[in-house]
C-alpha cells in the first residue's frame, strides 16, 4: 500500500505523475467530477487548520466523494486518551482514505504502520508537510514551465518551517537545483536537511543574510514568517525583522519571470503592495493545492492494491532500546511506539519519527 508521510515516499516518477494528473484535472475538470463517487475521506485534524482542511474537503467533493472526520480533537475520543493507532484502526472501518494533521511529530508515520487504508500526512508538528510540497511543485511548474534547473531562495523561518524542509527534500530529486537560504542565525535550516538531504544528494546550497544580495539570481522566492516568539532577545528580533520583509523596493532587481510563493498565512513578511505584482503567486498557489490533493487522493486509491506502488523499504532503519529521542514534541515520547532510528551521517543517529539527533540512554 502507498501512503504519503514524507515527500520522499513518492519516487520522482510518482511525483511527476501526480503533478501531471493535477494539470489534467485543471484542464478537464468535468472528466473527474464523479471519479470517486461513494468514496469517503476521513480528515483527522488534531490541531487547527483552515486552508489544508478545506482544501482536502473541497478536493474530495470535487471528485464526487464524501468527507467525514473531526477538526478539533477535543470533540473526539482523543480527549479520553485514545492513541493515534487505536483511532486509525477505528476510522479505517468508515473511510477509504485518511488525511491526518497532528501536533506531534511522527504521528502520521505511526498511523501508517497500522492502517489498512492510505494515510496522508497533512502536517506533523514542525517536521513535514508533503501535500504542501506537492502544491509548491505544481505551482512552480505552472508558473515557470519546469522544475529542473531552478534557483530557489527560502526566506524567513527555515528552522521550524515544515513546508521548507519538505520542499527541499522533494527538490533534491530534481536536476540542477540551487538552494539559497535567507534567514537570521536563530532560524537557520536544521543540519539534517543541509547534510542529509542537500549534501548527500549533491544539491548546491548556500546561506546569506538578506534578500537584496540574491534577488537577481532567483527563479522562485519562497517566503515564510519570521516568528518573534522564536527569539530569546526581543532587541535581536527588532534588529533583523525588516531584512526578511518583502516589498516592491526589494523586487526591483528580480527576474521578470520569478515566482513568489508563500504557504500562508502571512503576517507582515510580504507587504500588501506586492499582491499586485504578477510574480506574486501565493494566492494561485492556494488554488493549486485543491487540484494537487485531488490528484493525490485519486492516485493513492488507484495505487492501493498495485504492487508497483508501495512504500520505500528503508533498510537503514533499525530498532533499538539504546537511544532516547530528546524531542518533547515527538510521538515516541507520548505514546508506546517502536523505538526506530537511522544513521544520519557523521556518526549521528536520528529518530525516524522526527529526525532529531538522539542520545544514549
Amino acid at each position: 500500500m502507498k501512503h504519503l508521510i514524507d515527500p520522499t515516499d513518492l519516487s520522482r516518477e510518482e511525483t511527476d505523475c501526480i503533478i501531471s494528473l493535477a494539470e489534467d484535472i485543471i484542464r478537464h475538470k468535468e472528466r473527474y467530477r464523479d471519479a470517486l463517487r461513494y468514496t469517503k475521506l476521513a480528515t483527522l485534524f488534531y490541531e487547527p487548520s483552515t486552508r489544508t482542511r478545506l482544501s482536502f474537503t473541497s478536493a474530495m467533493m470535487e471528485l464526487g466523494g464524501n468527507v467525514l472526520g473531526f477538526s478539533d480533537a477535543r470533540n473526539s475520543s482523543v480527549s479520553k486518551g485514545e492513541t493515534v493507532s487505536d483511532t486509525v484502526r477505528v476510522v479505517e472501518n468508515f473511510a477509504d482514505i485518511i488525511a491526518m494533521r497532528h501536533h506531534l511529530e511522527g504521528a502520521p508515520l505511526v498511523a501508517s504502520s497500522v492502517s489498512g487504508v492510505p494515510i496522508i500526512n497533512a502536517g506533523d508538528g514542525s517536521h513535514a508537510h508533503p501535500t504542501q510540497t506537492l502544491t509548491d511543485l505544481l505551482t512552480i511548474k505552472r508558473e515557470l514551465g519546469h522544475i529542473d534547473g531552478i534557483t530557489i531562495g527560502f526566506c524567513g523561518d527555515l528552522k521550524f518551517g515544515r513546508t521548507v524542509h519538505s520542499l527541499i527534500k522533494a527538490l533534491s530529486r530534481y536536476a540542477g537545483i540551487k538552494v539559497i537560504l535567507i534567514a537570521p542565525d536563530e532560524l537557520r535550516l536544521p543540519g539534517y536537511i543541509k547534510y542529509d538531504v542537500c549534501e548527500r544528494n549533491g544539491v548546491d546550497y548556500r546561506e546569506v543574510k538578506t534578500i537584496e544580495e540574491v534577488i537577481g539570481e532567483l527563479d522562485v522566492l519562497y517566503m515564510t514568517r519570521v516568528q518573534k516568539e522564536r527569539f530569546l532577545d526581543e532587541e535581536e528580533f527588532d534588529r533583523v525583522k525588516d531584512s526578511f520583509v518583502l516589498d516592491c523596493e526589494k523586487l526591483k532587481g528580480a527576474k521578470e519571470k520569478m515566482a513568489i510563493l508563500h504557504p500562508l498565512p502571512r503576517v507582515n513578511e510580504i507587504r500588501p503592495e506586492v499582491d499586485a505584482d504578477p510574480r506574486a503567486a501565493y494566492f494561485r498557489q492556494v488554488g493549486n493545492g485543491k487540484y494537487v490533493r485531488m490528484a493525490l487522493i485519486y492516485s493513492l486509491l488507484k495505487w492501493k492494491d498495485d504492487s508497483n506502488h508501495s512504500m520505500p523499504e528503508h533498510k537503514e532503519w533499525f530498532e533499538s532500546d539504546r537511544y532516547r529521542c530528546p524531542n518533547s514534541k515527538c510521538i515516541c515520547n507520548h505514546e508506546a511506539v517502536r523505538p526506530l532510528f537511522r544513521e544520519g551521517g557523521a556518526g549521528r543517529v536520528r529518530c525516524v519519527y522526527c529526525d532529531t539527533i538522539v542520545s544514549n540512554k
Side-chain angles (χ1 to χ4, degrees), residues 6-280:
D6 184 90
T8 56
D9 290 334
L10 298 173
S11 67
R12 161 75 190 266
E13 292 73 22
E14 288 168 335
T15 300
D16 288 343
C17 179
I18 290 170
I19 292 171
S20 294
L21 178 58
E23 291 177 308
D24 192 60
I25 292 172
I26 292 168
R27 289 190 297 267
H28 306 288
K29 298 180 183 67
E30 69 285 350
R31 293 182 186 173
Y32 299 90
R33 211 152 270 159
D34 288 316
L36 295 182
R37 196 177 180 190
Y38 305 123
T39 304
K40 295 180 287 294
L41 165 73
T43 55
L44 309 184
F45 278 63
Y46 290 73
E47 66 175 4
S49 169
T50 301
R51 280 155 303 282
T52 303
R53 186 171 61 85
L54 291 179
S55 182
F56 270 109
T57 299
S58 179
M60 194 59 171
M61 292 173 69
E62 295 246 358
L63 290 166
N66 296 302
V67 182
L68 52 92
F70 57 78
S71 60
D72 188 340
R74 291 174 297 181
N75 297 328
S76 73
S77 293
V78 174
S79 63
K80 303 173 185 177
E82 186 173 61
T83 65
V84 166
S85 295
D86 283 0
T87 297
V88 169
R89 285 188 174 108
V90 170
V91 173
E92 70 177 7
N93 291 284
F94 312 132
D96 302 286
I97 188 167
I98 294 171
M100 173 184 286
R101 168 165 287 192
H102 207 290
H103 57 283
L104 293 178
E105 298 173 15
L109 178 60
V110 171
S112 70
S113 70
V114 299
S115 180
V117 300
I119 298 288
I120 300 172
N121 179 3
D124 61 328
S126 299
H127 185 230
H129 198 348
T131 64
Q132 180 64 49
T133 297
L134 290 173
T135 300
D136 299 339
L137 292 174
L138 175 60
T139 304
I140 293 169
K141 177 77 180 301
R142 296 191 74 196
E143 295 293 319
L144 301 180
H146 62 95
I147 300 173
D148 287 307
I150 66 167
T151 297
I152 180 169
F154 292 96
C155 180
D157 181 0
L158 311 189
K159 182 175 182 180
F160 299 99
R162 60 190 173 192
T163 60
V164 172
H165 305 167
S166 291
L167 183 52
I168 292 176
K169 283 184 178 182
L171 287 172
S172 71
R173 304 285 188 87
Y174 291 81
I177 299 295
K178 293 183 179 179
V179 171
I180 300 178
L181 306 168
I182 313 161
D185 292 339
E186 293 84 352
L187 298 176
R188 290 200 166 192
L189 193 72
Y192 85 91
I193 298 290
K194 287 188 282 190
Y195 308 131
D196 295 359
V197 178
C198 293
E199 292 186 7
R200 184 171 290 180
N201 292 285
V203 176
D204 184 350
Y205 77 93
R206 75 181 197 269
E207 296 178 299
V208 300
K209 295 286 188 180
T210 66
I211 297 172
E212 292 93 325
E213 62 191 285
V214 295
I215 191 69
E217 302 176 44
L218 304 180
D219 300 301
V220 177
L221 175 58
Y222 196 100
M223 296 295 297
T224 65
R225 181 168 69 96
V226 174
Q227 301 172 74
K228 185 176 181 179
E229 61 268 27
R230 303 296 188 188
F231 287 76
L232 297 177
D233 185 342
E234 188 169 336
E235 288 185 7
E236 180 67 13
F237 171 77
D238 290 336
R239 185 182 65 79
V240 304
K241 64 180 181 181
D242 290 336
S243 298
F244 308 98
V245 175
L246 185 66
D247 56 26
C248 289
E249 182 66 28
K250 289 188 174 77
L251 282 172
K252 284 184 176 178
K255 294 179 181 179
E256 187 177 342
K257 283 287 290 179
M258 185 189 74
I260 305 165
L261 273 61
H262 192 305
L264 301 180
R266 67 172 166 181
V267 181
N268 65 344
E269 62 276 6
I270 300 179
R271 299 291 190 211
E273 65 190 52
V274 176
D275 297 352
D277 192 299
R279 293 167 291 194

